[in-house]
């Protein structure tokens, strides 16, 4: 193993498992509402359209507070800001246990989004401070493993917690929100103590390793023409950021539209709530497989757009067949291919913004792209809920998501033509190797 590979592995071992744990908790927090809806809807009078709207309001709060949050992260440092985010989102999730009306559901979902705003784009920005561009695909793939793992865990866990209905006078969905919010609060202090802000602050890197890493990051800035605006808010007007924000929208719309309605889709296959939880986990196994394979392939071949085009096409076809097929087993197989595609797209996509920006400009740009993309987290659940209420079935919503991914395929070609102007980087050796 080369000195460079050993250094990248050391950084990965020190940082990525803990970040995966934190985002795993975040994603369970935001996803469990799909299972809570199976029971809380009747308890508080929440219809399909109202659920879709409330589920999506999380992303409106996220959208409004994401850019300020990432700029605060750049100012105060990752460990302090991530600890603050963890503590507040944990409290908001636990507060969901006391919702007793549709309007209360709307308010708490919005506040939860505001509390969690900035964590995911903050980690993306944090990764750009530790890894050269050529290593980011596989690293982002590892980090984004949190998403399908969370969905894999959320189904069975939610089924078990919903089974506690009546314990100590609480509904099962109340126990669900209390149980998934508490870990975020408890991990705020370890985050403050464990997570370093920058490479130059750690004792587990030698002086030579720190110098090499900072040199490679500086080399990226020159060879990829990375922009660092004097005022980071100028990034928000950069045409590259706006185009990437539009490009990200179809995948978030599809991921959240499907994810927040998947328990309902699977529940229609028949079976208990616990069975629904376990069966709903199957597509996310394929999401994990995709994240372990596709980003590494993208790094190895130095190809982003070819992979993105193929994944959008596969996702669109699989989404169409998940609605068109009438057999539960075949529908589940199609949904598994959808998960494989969507999570792989996410990892490959996030290698793009860091090629164009650095410093606070990267923080602002990543936040804008993610916040705009997360509008899909509002539009997806709401659109599917509205279509289901209008047509009487979920198939119409899945056809809609298939069309959305076709639009993403079209955008892949447009983004490639407009942005792909930078040559591949030639790495410098570490330690003279």
């Amino acid at each position: 193993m080369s000195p460079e590979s050993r250094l990248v592995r050391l950084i990965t071992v020190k940082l990525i498992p803990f970040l995966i744990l934190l985002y795993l908790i975040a994603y369970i927090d935001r996803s469990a509402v799909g299972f809570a809806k199976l029971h809380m809807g009747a308890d508080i009078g929440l219809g399909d359209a109202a659920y879709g709207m409330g589920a999506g309001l999380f992303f409106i709060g996220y959208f409004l507070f994401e850019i300020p949050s990432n700029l605060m992260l750049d100012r105060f440092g990752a460990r302090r800001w991530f600890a603050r985010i963890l503590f507040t989102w944990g409290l908001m999730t636990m507060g969901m246990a006391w919702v007793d009306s549709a309007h209360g559901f709307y308010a708490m979902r919005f506040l939860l989004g505001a509390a969690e705003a900035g964590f995911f784009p903050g980690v993306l920005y944090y990764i750009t401070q530790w890894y050269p561009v050529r290593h980011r695909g596989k690293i982002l793939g590892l980090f984004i493993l949190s998403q399908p793992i969370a969905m894999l865990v959320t189904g069975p866990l939610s089924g078990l917690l919903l089974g506690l209905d009546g314990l100590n006078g609480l509904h099962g969905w109340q126990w669900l929100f209390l149980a998934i919010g508490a870990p975020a609060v408890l991990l705020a202090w370890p985050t403050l103590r464990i997570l370093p802000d920058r490479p130059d602050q750690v004792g587990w890197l030698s002086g030579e390793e720190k110098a090499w890493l900072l040199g490679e990051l500086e080399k990226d800035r020159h060879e990829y023409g990375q922009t660092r605006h004097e005022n980071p808010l100028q990034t928000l007007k950069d045409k590259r950021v706006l185009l990437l924000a539009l490009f990200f929208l179809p995948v978030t719309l599809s991921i959240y539209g499907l994810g927040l309605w998947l328990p309902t889709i699977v529940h229609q296959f028949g079976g208990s709530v616990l069975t629904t939880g376990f069966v709903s986990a199957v597509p996310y196994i394929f999401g994990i497989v995709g994240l372990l394979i596709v980003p590494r392939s993208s790094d190895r071949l130095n190809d982003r757009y070819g992979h993105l085009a193929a994944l959008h096409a596969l996702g669109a076809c699989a989404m169409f067949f998940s609605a068109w097929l009438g057999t539960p087993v075949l529908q589940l197989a199609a949904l598994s291919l959808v998960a494989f595609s969507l999570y792989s797209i996410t990892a490959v996509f996030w290698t793009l913004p860091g090629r164009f920006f650095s410093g606070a400009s990267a923080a602002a740009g990543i936040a804008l792209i993610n916040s705009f993309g997360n509008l899909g987290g509002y539009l997806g659940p709401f659109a599917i809920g509205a279509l289901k209420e209008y047509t009487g079935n979920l198939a119409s919503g899945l056809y809609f998501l298939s069309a959305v991914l076709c639009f993403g395929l079209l955008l892949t070609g447009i983004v490639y033509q407009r942005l792909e102007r930078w040559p591949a980087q030639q790495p410098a050796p570490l330690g003279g190797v």
Side-chain angles (χ1 to χ4, degrees):
M1 184 184 296
S2 69
E4 178 177 344
S5 297
R6 283 197 292 270
L7 175 58
V8 170
R9 174 171 289 187
L10 174 62
I11 295 171
T12 302
V13 169
K14 291 289 187 179
L15 301 181
I16 300 302
F18 189 66
L19 292 173
I20 288 175
L21 173 63
L22 298 184
Y23 195 48
L24 178 69
I25 293 169
Y27 219 77
I28 290 174
D29 276 3
R30 69 171 64 173
S31 304
V33 67
F35 291 92
K37 179 257 181 187
L38 298 176
H39 286 184
M40 74 182 296
D43 291 336
I44 68 173
L46 196 67
D48 286 335
Y51 163 73
M53 180 176 179
L57 279 171
F58 170 93
F59 300 99
I60 300 299
Y62 211 108
F63 172 79
L64 293 175
F65 291 92
E66 191 162 8
I67 293 171
S69 179
N70 246 30
L71 293 177
M72 290 299 100
L73 182 149
D74 186 65
R75 179 177 178 181
F76 293 111
R79 62 187 184 86
R80 295 180 192 173
W81 200 247
F82 288 160
R84 193 283 304 164
I85 292 174
L86 279 162
F87 187 76
T88 53
W89 103 50
L91 290 180
M92 291 299 107
T93 299
M94 296 175 73
M96 288 285 295
W98 313 116
V99 166
D100 60 2
S101 67
H103 288 95
F105 180 66
Y106 298 158
M108 290 303 296
R109 288 290 295 176
F110 177 84
L111 291 173
L112 177 59
E116 193 184 318
F119 181 72
F120 178 71
V123 173
L124 298 180
Y125 170 56
Y126 186 67
I127 286 173
T128 68
Q129 298 178 305
W130 289 87
Y131 293 93
V133 168
R134 62 185 175 274
H135 293 291
R136 291 177 191 168
K138 59 179 177 290
I139 299 303
L140 289 168
L142 289 173
F143 171 64
I144 295 171
L145 277 173
S146 309
Q147 294 183 7
I149 290 174
M151 300 303 290
L152 193 67
V153 171
T154 300
L157 177 63
S158 298
L160 290 170
L161 290 170
L162 288 172
L164 299 178
D165 196 61
L167 181 65
N168 290 338
L170 297 178
H171 295 291
W173 58 268
Q174 292 178 297
W175 282 113
L176 174 59
F177 285 125
L178 290 172
I180 63 176
V185 175
L186 295 175
L187 280 170
W189 177 250
T191 299
L192 192 61
R193 302 297 300 172
I194 293 173
L195 204 64
D197 286 327
R198 300 186 306 274
D200 58 4
Q201 293 180 337
V202 299
W204 39 266
L205 291 179
S206 68
E208 181 189 8
E209 289 170 331
K210 293 176 184 178
W212 178 87
L213 178 57
L214 294 174
E216 290 301 291
L217 295 175
E218 185 63 30
K219 184 177 179 181
D220 281 345
R221 295 187 189 106
H222 292 291
E223 296 201 14
Y224 287 98
Q226 292 176 347
T227 301
R228 180 179 287 182
H229 295 99
E230 184 175 342
N231 180 354
L233 293 178
Q234 292 176 328
T235 311
L236 308 184
K237 299 186 293 184
D238 194 298
K239 292 181 180 179
R240 294 170 296 179
V241 171
L242 299 177
L243 184 57
L244 287 170
L246 178 63
F247 188 29
F248 191 46
L249 182 61
V251 68
T252 55
L253 196 153
S254 301
I255 283 180
Y256 290 114
L258 179 66
L260 291 174
W261 281 98
L262 184 61
T264 303
I265 296 170
V266 173
H267 196 57
Q268 292 179 352
F269 294 169
S272 66
V273 172
L274 184 58
T275 300
T276 297
F278 279 98
V279 175
S280 296
V282 172
Y284 299 107
I285 297 174
F286 288 83
I288 292 170
V289 172
L291 286 170
L292 291 174
I293 296 174
V294 176
R296 293 173 183 271
S297 171
S298 176
D299 275 354
R300 186 176 65 254
L301 300 175
N302 192 27
D303 169 61
R304 309 304 186 191
Y305 297 96
H307 283 70
L308 288 170
L311 291 165
H312 276 94
L314 176 61
C317 292
M319 191 78 79
F320 176 87
F321 282 109
S322 72
W324 185 70
L325 295 168
T327 306
V329 172
L330 295 178
Q331 283 184 285
L332 188 63
L335 291 169
S336 297
L337 288 177
V338 170
F340 177 95
S341 302
L342 293 179
Y343 288 109
S344 298
I345 289 171
T346 303
V348 177
F349 170 84
W350 280 115
T351 64
L352 300 179
R355 295 175 64 179
F356 306 123
F357 303 97
S358 63
S361 293
I366 289 170
L368 177 65
I369 292 166
N370 195 59
S371 62
F372 187 79
N374 272 333
L375 288 178
Y378 172 77
L379 296 173
F382 178 75
I384 293 178
L387 286 168
K388 180 179 183 293
E389 200 158 279
Y390 180 74
T391 64
N393 63 75
L394 276 171
S396 57
L398 298 176
Y399 287 131
F400 166 72
L401 294 182
S402 178
V404 166
L405 286 171
C406 287
F407 178 62
L409 176 60
L410 175 63
L411 284 175
T412 304
I414 294 173
V415 172
Y416 175 76
Q417 290 296 323
R418 296 294 180 89
L419 299 186
E420 190 61 17
R421 297 290 185 269
W422 285 265
Q425 173 173 316
Q426 298 299 319
L430 172 63
V433 177

